[in-house]
Amino acid sequence: MPSAKARTKRIVGSSTTTNESRRGFFPFFQYASIVGVHVILVGFSALYLPQSTRLFGPLPVRKTDRPQSEFMEALTARPAVTAAWILAGLCVLQVWWSTWVRKWYFGQNAIGTLDEIKIARAKVNALWFLRLREAVGFTLFATLVAHIIIVLFGAPMSSHHLQTGLLASTVAVLTAFVPAFVFGYPSLASDTPALANRLNWIRLFAELSPRNAIERAVVHPAVGTVVGAWVGAIPIPLDWDRPWQAWPLTPLYGSLAGYILGSFVALAINSMKWLAKEQLRSVQPSTRYKSS
């Protein structure tokens, strides 16, 4: 029979193997299916949720030499209402999406025995509402910053305050809420965890250097949102006299398109890296701990 020392070595070795295999694990198939549903619902919020405006009365009649379809008329007749519908849908979607991302983030970094992981997961779940409140507060701050930046980039200063505020809120929800909910907001506290979190935010959103699938799933859509909003503002000053050029429709839909494109970019990169790891794992011989 094996000695007590050999049994201890086998148990420790098995625990180490479990931790190493669990650490860095990413549920790719679950991620791929959920991100697909997520971007579809974002598109639904952008195109079909504003159609609900018809339920509250007829659309205003506009005299224009540029007639539109009824579908487009519902999107462009009241830009502020359209932006409000989209923002309401995104608020619900981002809470749902960030909950999944936070779950994957915990699973990717969890170490210890199964009982220790269960206890840690229970503690994380108990802090859900606290993290939600912190993420909402940080998103409101990001909305103010985004509003100022949008005005500095040429948004109307003396009018359209509601439309600009809704655009800023949409950009903040798409860029700031998820990382604040998953990683924690970048606090200015002087303790070590706060400093590490600030450095993590700098690496992700200033240096744009995500290191794993979770970070890519958060960073690429955020970058796509900002780029899409900037590109979407280009058609506004053009002398086309189209109803969809009303502020802030083009940067609003540009940010949504950029977010969807960034999500697909993250999915594509994560897919290639996951396939490469699976291929490398299949050709490497499996190693097993043997008792002495």
Side-chain angles (χ1 to χ4, degrees), residues 16 22 30 40 183 202 239 264:
T16 303
R22 185 186 301 117
Q30 188 183 60
I40 290 174
F183 308 128
I202 292 173
D239 189 17
F264 281 127

Side-chain angles (χ1 to χ4, degrees), residues 238-252:
L238 300 179
D239 189 17
W240 293 346
D241 193 25
R242 303 285 184 175
W244 51 262
Q245 288 179 276
W247 178 259
L249 292 179
T250 55
L252 176 66

Side-chain angles (χ1 to χ4, degrees), residues 13-152:
S14 177
S15 176
T16 303
T17 304
T18 303
N19 285 334
E20 288 178 352
S21 61
R22 185 186 301 117
R23 191 172 183 87
F25 171 76
F26 183 65
F28 172 77
F29 292 107
Q30 188 183 60
Y31 159 72
S33 60
I34 290 178
V35 75
V37 174
H38 180 55
V39 297
I40 290 174
L41 292 177
V42 170
F44 176 84
S45 299
L47 299 176
Y48 289 95
L49 198 58
Q51 304 293 327
S52 304
T53 304
R54 300 177 183 274
L55 301 176
F56 301 94
L59 298 175
V61 179
R62 297 185 297 177
K63 295 180 179 180
T64 176
D65 57 350
R66 305 285 187 176
Q68 296 184 117
S69 64
E70 293 184 1
F71 184 87
M72 285 296 298
E73 190 66 25
L75 299 179
T76 62
R78 299 188 182 100
V81 176
T82 298
W85 274 115
I86 293 174
L87 178 61
L90 291 178
C91 288
V92 177
L93 283 178
Q94 293 304 87
V95 172
W96 171 75
W97 166 247
S98 60
T99 300
W100 275 107
V101 178
R102 188 166 180 249
K103 176 184 176 181
W104 296 330
Y105 182 70
F106 170 82
Q108 193 175 52
N109 294 278
I111 57 174
T113 64
L114 293 178
D115 291 336
E116 291 172 344
I117 291 176
K118 288 181 180 178
I119 294 174
R121 182 180 290 110
K123 292 180 179 179
V124 169
N125 293 336
L127 297 175
W128 190 89
F129 285 103
L130 175 62
R131 184 59 66 85
L132 177 64
R133 186 169 67 247
E134 293 175 347
V136 169
F138 182 74
T139 304
L140 293 175
F141 171 75
T143 298
L144 177 61
V145 175
H147 190 105
I148 295 173
I149 293 175
I150 291 171
V151 170
L152 292 177

